[in-house]
Amino acid sequence: MIILRPYQEALLNGARQGFRERKRAILLQLATGGGKTVSGSKMIEGSSAKGLVCWWLAHRRELITQTSKTFAAMGIQHGIIAGGHSSDPHKRVQIGSVQTVARRLDCLPPPDLIIFDECHHLGASQWQKIFDAFPDAKIVGLTATPWRLDGKGLGNWFQEMVNGPTVAELIAEGSLSRYRLFAPTQIDTAAIKIQAGDFKKDDLASVMDKPSITGDAVQHYRKLCNGKRAVAFAVNVEHSQHIAAQFNANSIPAEHVDGSMHSDARDAAIARFIAGETLVLTNCELFGEGFDVPAIEAVILLRPTKSLSLHLQQVGRALRPAPGKSEAIILDHAGNSMVHGLPDDDREWSLADREKRKKDEKASVTIKTCMECFHVYRPAPKCPQCGQQPASQGREIEQRDGELAEVDVAAKRKEQRREVGNARTREDLERIARERGYKPGWVNAIMNARQGGGLAGRRYA
């Protein structure tokens, strides 16, 4: 019998209250690793017991397989509507592939409840087709990151969002793992073109798919998490294959997997990874969502992205606690943490549309690297890790190519507060709010606090 944690019960109670208020679509936000699948499954269990037809929809085979295992563990009888599965449309509960269900809408009994897993993808044509086809069905969306790259708010589909605890709160209570983050001092993406809101893959691959960069990844894996199971995120399939090859060439068992592989071959590679026979599993856009293996002890980021959602989903793969796992290691060779912040930053999610950044507007992140211990920290008189003073107080320390250094979380948070304190205009505060994903009301809270001398908005800084 699966017993929900208090915050999971609170999420479901929030959804029930929304439905009592005649709202059609409710979004449940819960950090990666917080137990969205178990929470939603409890809702399916209760609704189907009342005789309701319930659908659980996902867009990846891994998500469908994961949910089916959870349903089976809970004793929920269900069918699967997806390629490679024999459908049983008479089952009250169905787990469906978005792609397959969208093609079979006319052949299926109408649902009373639809749960969209990873619902930040809503708006894509097949998702939208299903959403529009059953106006009388109640809708529940599940996501860790209600954030679309195009800036369109999920309020276009959901009337209410119920938030779970933050990553920091989940770490504090032991529901997620503590982490150590190592990151490069600088990643030059200035010459990379933008396509559909993110870096153009061909241009990105030409920058990242180099033996020197992958070699650095191998060296730092050995230095910082040797022998641990790590998932590496690549730009494209060829890049992922090259990463695996270079790890193998250095006697570190690695395998590449991608969506074009036969499912049996992919499952076998994952099984070897779980068993510890393979230590590094490389992929491209396959394991960002739905790869829930608590034994993952490290992630290796080799794909710069402008997407906050993609970054947090990838980092979150390593944050699930497991027996014998004291902490997660994040090796950020892509520099994404310098753009999107720490995994447990206090982010304020909103259903509203986001204001787009101006083309020439860039995130301002200043970082020093200690040349003694290679610890990364926000500007300070001396290194918080070893106490070493910079050789020159008047200039930034020169970057060493390929070196990763640990991010000092306390120092970074102190610098974030300092940045807010140094912001003199509303425009400065609005820029900070956009970069950190804060709610629009944060700027007003800070301005009001300054005018009245109060502390309103302090929790955001």
Side-chain angles (χ1 to χ4, degrees), residues 181 183 185 335-342 345 363-370 375-385 388 390 393 396-397 405-419 431 435-436:
L181 170 63
T185 54
N336 292 328
S337 300
M338 302 298 100
V339 176
H340 300 301
L342 300 170
D345 275 347
S364 176
V365 179
T366 304
I367 292 176
K368 286 183 179 292
T369 301
C370 175
H375 180 75
V376 173
Y377 61 97
R378 292 292 185 176
K382 59 184 180 179
C383 172
Q385 182 75 13
Q388 178 74 14
Q393 297 291 336
E396 292 295 314
I397 297 174
E406 186 170 2
V407 172
D408 184 89
V409 175
K412 181 161 185 174
R413 298 215 186 285
K414 183 177 180 180
E415 177 59 25
Q416 287 179 330
R417 292 192 293 271
R418 183 184 293 117
E419 185 182 11
R431 173 185 57 78
E435 290 171 359
R436 300 184 187 177

Side-chain angles (χ1 to χ4, degrees), residues 315-355:
V315 168
R317 297 307 112 197
L319 295 182
R320 293 177 181 273
K325 176 179 174 181
S326 60
E327 61 187 7
I329 302 294
I330 301 166
L331 305 183
D332 185 4
H333 293 265
N336 292 328
S337 300
M338 302 298 100
V339 176
H340 300 301
L342 300 170
D344 56 345
D345 275 347
D346 186 12
R347 294 178 173 87
E348 295 291 330
W349 303 111
S350 172
L351 291 176
D353 293 349
R354 296 195 316 278
E355 181 182 347

